[in-house]
Amino acid sequence: MAKTKAQKKETLDRLMTAFKSGLPAVFVHFRGVTVADESAMRKSLKSEGITYYVAKKTLIGKALTDSGVKGTAPALDGEVAVAYATTGDDETLPARLAHGFSKQFGAERFSLVGGIFEKALKSKEEITVIATIPSMQVLRGMFANVINSPRQRFAVVLSKVAETKV
């Protein structure tokens, strides 16, 4: 169904607002994803503060050029959607969640195409690397474990020495 100029303007404004905000966004290619799967995915993304929006490629391209995002836009082939953050709590969240869905649905049905990270366009490879960065909470846990590890080993050694002395 053809969109009216007003609908296209509304979509363009929505995308421009998302891209100008400086918050991260991911472009995904989808094909053959069932309505039930997409509805469940949208619900899951929305609960995490991520908006998933399907738009025409020409409107996405125009919004990218007009918003002034640095870099070269990735090739947007096939059916393309944008998943963008509405808050800046976790910069890697849109990429991480989209990457998780690409594993769940399979790369032929749902895959990352590129994205916006730190106000610059990133390629598919760069956004995939960003998607594999653990969340901030996990990174803090890993850091605490690294800090605690020498103390823990020292306590184990002391306990073994105490056992041999007794």
Side-chain angles (χ1 to χ4, degrees):
M1 183 166 152
K3 292 196 176 230
T4 65
K5 282 191 177 189
Q7 289 172 323
K8 289 179 183 179
K9 174 131 177 58
E10 181 183 321
T11 299
L12 188 61
D13 290 343
R14 183 176 186 177
L15 292 171
M16 291 276 293
T17 303
F19 298 158
K20 281 185 176 180
S21 70
L23 295 174
V26 179
F27 308 116
V28 295
H29 170 73
F30 63 97
R31 181 182 187 143
V33 178
T34 65
V35 173
D37 286 343
E38 189 168 6
S39 296
M41 179 184 63
R42 282 179 190 264
K43 187 175 183 180
S44 173
L45 289 172
K46 188 174 184 177
S47 70
E48 295 286 341
I50 306 297
T51 301
Y52 180 82
Y53 192 69
V54 178
K56 290 183 142 205
K57 295 176 280 195
T58 53
L59 293 176
I60 293 172
K62 183 162 178 46
L64 284 173
T65 55
D66 292 350
S67 64
V69 179
K70 293 180 267 178
T72 306
L76 303 175
D77 298 325
E79 295 87 6
V80 178
V82 180
Y84 57 91
T86 54
T87 63
D89 296 339
D90 187 354
E91 293 287 319
T92 62
L93 189 61
R96 201 170 54 250
L97 292 176
H99 184 66
F101 284 114
S102 98
K103 285 182 178 178
Q104 179 183 343
F105 298 143
E108 66 281 344
R109 291 176 56 203
F110 191 90
S111 61
L112 299 173
V113 177
I116 300 171
F117 188 74
E118 294 182 342
K119 299 181 184 179
L121 287 163
K122 303 293 180 185
S123 68
K124 176 182 180 176
E125 293 77 22
E126 291 171 318
I127 217 70
T128 303
V129 169
I130 291 166
T132 58
I133 297 172
S135 70
M136 199 58 150
Q137 187 176 10
V138 171
L139 288 173
R140 286 184 182 124
M142 291 166 72
F143 181 71
N145 192 29
V146 167
I147 297 279
N148 195 31
S149 183
R151 292 182 194 150
Q152 188 176 11
R153 286 192 220 141
F154 184 65
V156 169
V157 168
L158 283 179
S159 106
K160 294 294 181 187
V161 169
E163 285 176 9
T164 60
K165 296 281 183 174
V166 175

